[in-house]
mmCIF file of all heavy atoms in Angstrom:
data_model
loop_
_atom_site.group_PDB
_atom_site.id
_atom_site.type_symbol
_atom_site.label_atom_id
_atom_site.label_comp_id
_atom_site.label_asym_id
_atom_site.label_seq_id
_atom_site.Cartn_x
_atom_site.Cartn_y
_atom_site.Cartn_z
ATOM 1 N N MET A 23 -55.037 33.595 14.223
ATOM 2 C CA MET A 23 -55.455 34.134 12.933
ATOM 3 C C MET A 23 -54.259 34.708 12.167
ATOM 4 O O MET A 23 -54.156 34.520 10.952
ATOM 5 C CB MET A 23 -56.529 35.217 13.124
ATOM 6 C CG MET A 23 -57.819 34.698 13.713
ATOM 7 S SD MET A 23 -58.584 33.423 12.727
ATOM 8 C CE MET A 23 -59.132 34.398 11.347
ATOM 9 N N ILE A 24 -53.339 35.380 12.861
ATOM 10 C CA ILE A 24 -52.134 35.894 12.204
ATOM 11 C C ILE A 24 -51.294 34.732 11.674
ATOM 12 O O ILE A 24 -50.783 34.777 10.550
ATOM 13 C CB ILE A 24 -51.321 36.774 13.168
ATOM 14 C CG1 ILE A 24 -52.057 38.082 13.429
ATOM 15 C CG2 ILE A 24 -49.928 37.057 12.623
ATOM 16 C CD1 ILE A 24 -51.395 38.944 14.475
ATOM 17 N N MET A 25 -51.160 33.675 12.468
ATOM 18 C CA MET A 25 -50.383 32.521 12.036
ATOM 19 C C MET A 25 -51.001 31.882 10.788
ATOM 20 O O MET A 25 -50.304 31.561 9.829
ATOM 21 C CB MET A 25 -50.294 31.480 13.151
ATOM 22 C CG MET A 25 -49.482 30.259 12.757
ATOM 23 S SD MET A 25 -49.813 28.780 13.742
ATOM 24 C CE MET A 25 -51.495 28.423 13.316
ATOM 25 N N ARG A 26 -52.321 31.706 10.789
ATOM 26 C CA ARG A 26 -52.992 31.101 9.638
ATOM 27 C C ARG A 26 -52.864 31.962 8.390
ATOM 28 O O ARG A 26 -52.768 31.451 7.276
ATOM 29 C CB ARG A 26 -54.470 30.864 9.943
ATOM 30 C CG ARG A 26 -54.755 29.829 11.000
ATOM 31 C CD ARG A 26 -54.416 28.450 10.566
ATOM 32 N NE ARG A 26 -55.285 28.079 9.444
ATOM 33 C CZ ARG A 26 -55.177 26.965 8.752
ATOM 34 N NH1 ARG A 26 -54.240 26.116 9.059
ATOM 35 N NH2 ARG A 26 -55.983 26.704 7.758
ATOM 36 N N ALA A 27 -52.852 33.264 8.564
ATOM 37 C CA ALA A 27 -52.786 34.170 7.413
ATOM 38 C C ALA A 27 -51.376 34.263 6.835
ATOM 39 O O ALA A 27 -51.217 34.496 5.636
ATOM 40 C CB ALA A 27 -53.268 35.558 7.825
ATOM 41 N N THR A 28 -50.350 34.061 7.637
ATOM 42 C CA THR A 28 -48.985 34.288 7.161
ATOM 43 C C THR A 28 -48.207 33.014 6.866
ATOM 44 O O THR A 28 -47.181 33.082 6.192
ATOM 45 C CB THR A 28 -48.192 35.104 8.191
ATOM 46 O OG1 THR A 28 -48.166 34.399 9.435
ATOM 47 C CG2 THR A 28 -48.805 36.479 8.386
ATOM 48 N N THR A 29 -48.634 31.859 7.359
ATOM 49 C CA THR A 29 -47.904 30.618 7.135
ATOM 50 C C THR A 29 -48.281 30.031 5.782
ATOM 51 O O THR A 29 -49.461 29.811 5.517
ATOM 52 C CB THR A 29 -48.215 29.600 8.251
ATOM 53 O OG1 THR A 29 -47.932 30.203 9.506
ATOM 54 C CG2 THR A 29 -47.405 28.341 8.091
ATOM 55 N N PRO A 30 -47.288 29.753 4.913
ATOM 56 C CA PRO A 30 -47.616 29.193 3.601
ATOM 57 C C PRO A 30 -47.991 27.715 3.701
ATOM 58 O O PRO A 30 -47.565 27.006 4.619
ATOM 59 C CB PRO A 30 -46.320 29.370 2.815
ATOM 60 C CG PRO A 30 -45.251 29.395 3.842
ATOM 61 C CD PRO A 30 -45.867 30.013 5.056
#
Side-chain angles (χ1 to χ4, degrees):
M23 295 301 289
I24 290 174
M25 181 201 65
R26 293 291 296 174
T28 59
T29 305

